[in-house]
Amino acid sequence: MLVMKFGGASVKDADSIRNVAEIISQFAQDPLLIVVSASGKITNELEQLAFYAKDGKEKASLQKLEEIQHFHKQIVEDLFETGGEAVLAKIEPFFRKIDRIVNGILMLEEFPPRTYDRIVSCGELLSTTIVAAYLQSIGKDCHWIDARKLIKTDASYKRANVIWSLTELNIREQVSPLLKAGTIAVTQGFIGSTTEDHTTTLGREGSDYTAAIFANCLDAREMMVWKDVRGILNADPRVVPDAIKIDKMSYEEAVEMTFYGAQVIHPKTIKPIFQKQIPLLVKCFLDVNEVGTRISDKTNDDPIPSYITKHGQALLHIKHKDFSFMDEKLMQGIFNHLYKAGVKLNLIQNSAVSLMLCVDEGPVTQDFISRLLDSFEVEKKENVKLFTVLNYEFSNLEKARGALMVQQEGNKLFYVK
Ligand code: ASP
Ligand code: MG
């Protein structure tokens, strides 16, 4: 069987959804599970709406809801020649639900992460309702599935952790029989629910991860992610206009690229497919015949360097005040401190008496530093970038000159500037 994931850009309007249906038809000789993101930029819009409500801006949030409603109605009107009313009736309850939640935020003047998840999850519920109805309208045997009934998570709202045992059982019991009967299953990316059935989300851009969860649990032959780019490029095309498309990439290369900031697929996507050795194809929905990028256990025969930049970094240079060795015990204390404060560590380097840490800048607060200052001297360089070159060549070393920190590991080069 195949798992296919369609991102927001691929379902942003009626024509795009027709195109998605065509792609699905082309692959329908295999049993299919389809994961769909919210249309266009709707998740951002829903976020905005919720923030307005949180700030007590009732008018602005209701106006936003109006816009979101209009956007989806327009898609339905453009997409369905007949039967549009029935689809409008199906999506209507979601808008009423959002309206109720907004009123709750305004009244209680509180906006906990749990409420955030209840609101933003509506994007995927809406898009999949429309896509599934369209597939049915063109004669496909298609079933809409509520991912919240399958993907079970803990209660870490906004970035919930999957409870694999329950999720796997649900998917095997509820999805496998459908697929066996030849039904195309359509479900939402990004969302799940707790064991008490409270809606959760898996973190922004999490739909790729959802597809990987399904691929793992269903032992998919292949997973496909359909995007508006030709595949994975070896550099950000906004920075390097002549970036080259990579045909083949190993799981490890893909993990390194996504972890270090390449925004091609969600970083959590690779592990579930690696565990089952399921190849992942990144394909372009604008040109089905383009081969895309294949992520599997095989790397390119002739690997080319890939350039990844992680922005928003801070470099911490830490020494003990009394010139003690930077030994395991001291490091353990520092790492515990990072862990408790939720500071994400991206690269480390140690020497006899010092430790250098390249971390995400956001959580590095004054309080975080102050606590270290009890025992350590801390120098902090703000607003630096972490550059990664996979399959680096000799000439790339030139770029690392003068960097605050440089590291080489096998075919990887890291430097902070
Ligand atoms: N719609 C969600 C987001 O924009 C999830 C996704 O698209 O992957 O973050
Ligand atoms: Mg998206």
Side-chain angles (χ1 to χ4, degrees):
M1 62 90 45
L2 291 178
V3 171
M4 293 202 207
K5 180 258 174 175
F6 290 94
S10 67
V11 290
K12 69 177 195 303
D13 53 28
D15 278 344
S16 308
I17 295 176
R18 283 191 196 101
N19 181 49
V20 162
E22 249 167 62
I23 294 175
I24 290 173
S25 302
Q26 281 190 33
F27 288 90
Q29 66 276 20
D30 267 290
L32 291 181
L33 178 112
I34 313 291
V35 173
V36 184
S37 290
S39 296
K41 299 268 176 246
I42 284 297
T43 310
N44 292 350
E45 301 285 308
L46 288 164
E47 239 180 21
Q48 186 63 61
L49 168 152
F51 290 143
Y52 284 143
K54 172 185 159 241
D55 294 341
K57 295 179 181 155
E58 181 173 2
K59 231 173 133 191
S61 74
L62 293 178
Q63 164 89 31
K64 197 42 101 192
L65 177 55
E66 189 83 12
E67 284 168 28
I68 293 169
Q69 195 163 0
H70 177 77
F71 172 88
H72 287 93
K73 281 188 174 165
Q74 192 64 53
I75 294 182
V76 173
E77 276 163 22
D78 295 344
L79 190 56
F80 294 88
E81 269 167 32
T82 56
E85 289 74 34
V87 185
L88 289 177
K90 271 190 186 163
I91 61 173
E92 185 58 34
F94 296 118
F95 302 119
R96 260 181 276 141
K97 177 170 133 188
I98 298 170
D99 192 37
R100 274 198 309 275
I101 304 171
V102 165
N103 282 326
I105 301 172
L106 287 162
M107 235 160 58
L108 302 170
E109 292 178 16
E110 66 173 32
F111 181 48
R114 184 170 138 182
T115 308
Y116 171 97
D117 281 357
R118 286 182 69 207
I119 290 197
V120 297
S121 56
C122 290
E124 270 72 9
L125 292 166
L126 283 161
S127 66
T128 51
T129 302
I130 298 171
V131 169
Y134 180 66
L135 289 170
Q136 285 160 0
S137 80
I138 58 167
K140 303 274 177 230
D141 176 3
C142 162
H143 197 93
W144 181 88
I145 299 180
D146 188 337
R148 296 170 299 178
K149 299 225 157 71
L150 305 171
I151 306 231
K152 287 293 161 184
T153 71
D154 65 6
S156 313
Y157 296 100
K158 294 178 98 167
R159 54 179 69 82
N161 301 296
V162 173
I163 305 171
W164 277 90
S165 52
L166 291 179
T167 302
E168 181 164 18
L169 195 70
N170 289 341
I171 292 177
R172 293 226 164 132
E173 279 183 5
Q174 296 173 50
V175 181
S176 300
L178 276 177
L179 298 179
K180 276 210 184 91
T183 304
I184 299 172
V186 173
T187 195
Q188 308 78 37
F190 182 51
I191 70 175
S193 77
T194 65
T195 47
E196 284 92 40
D197 295 329
H198 297 308
T199 301
T200 53
T201 61
L202 306 177
R204 287 303 309 269
E205 303 301 329
S207 294
D208 297 336
Y209 181 42
T210 302
I213 296 168
F214 278 101
N216 177 299
C217 296
L218 293 165
D219 292 303
R221 176 169 71 75
E222 216 162 67
M223 168 175 155
M224 292 177 175
V225 170
W226 292 89
K227 297 180 71 82
D228 56 0
V229 289
R230 285 177 293 140
I232 300 181
L233 306 181
N234 77 328
D236 184 341
R238 288 166 302 186
V239 185
V240 184
D242 52 356
I244 302 165
K245 197 211 25 135
I246 303 168
D247 295 337
K248 283 192 232 157
M249 186 185 280
S250 69
Y251 293 112
E252 189 173 332
E253 285 171 307
V255 164
E256 297 284 358
M257 272 187 99
T258 54
F259 183 86
Y260 285 109
Q263 280 161 1
V264 272
I265 31 177
H266 192 280
K268 278 176 141 182
T269 310
I270 307 299
K271 187 173 158 191
I273 56 163
F274 167 78
Q275 287 171 333
K276 294 268 176 94
Q277 294 286 301
I278 300 165
L280 166 57
L281 266 70
V282 179
K283 298 268 292 172
C284 181
F285 62 76
L286 302 168
D287 182 2
V288 183
N289 297 323
E290 167 78 63
V291 289
T293 298
R294 186 182 173 87
I295 301 168
S296 69
D297 55 354
K298 292 185 192 67
T299 181
N300 248 9
D301 304 330
D302 188 13
I304 52 166
S306 293
Y307 303 92
I308 306 127
T309 309
K310 203 172 178 86
H311 297 263
Q313 301 295 294
L315 192 69
L316 305 176
H317 193 190
I318 305 173
K319 281 182 180 169
H320 200 276
K321 278 186 174 156
D322 70 5
F323 212 59
S324 299
F325 286 130
M326 184 52 74
D327 62 6
E328 297 74 14
K329 192 150 191 298
L330 281 192
M331 284 203 240
Q332 187 185 32
I334 296 169
F335 288 141
N336 267 335
H337 183 52
L338 289 171
Y339 179 69
K340 285 197 190 121
V343 174
K344 188 166 164 277
L345 180 56
N346 296 312
L347 204 64
I348 67 176
Q349 192 163 298
N350 69 309
S351 69
V353 292
S354 77
L355 183 66
M356 283 221 278
L357 306 174
C358 179
V359 296
D360 283 359
E361 193 157 29
V364 182
T365 57
Q366 201 44 53
D367 180 57
F368 171 83
I369 301 279
S370 304
R371 280 163 198 256
L372 282 174
L373 291 178
D374 291 343
S375 324
F376 300 98
E377 280 169 21
V378 182
E379 225 180 275
K380 178 182 163 202
K381 281 259 177 343
E382 288 176 345
N383 207 7
V384 291
K385 294 178 193 132
L386 168 57
F387 296 90
T388 304
V389 187
L390 298 181
N391 302 315
Y392 78 93
E393 290 168 349
F394 195 67
S395 60
N396 297 130
L397 291 171
E398 187 59 34
K399 290 200 171 121
R401 256 219 263 172
L404 299 162
M405 171 154 112
V406 182
Q407 263 180 45
Q408 287 153 268
E409 187 212 310
N411 56 1
K412 295 168 227 166
L413 169 69
F414 302 97
Y415 55 97
V416 177
K417 266 188 169 175

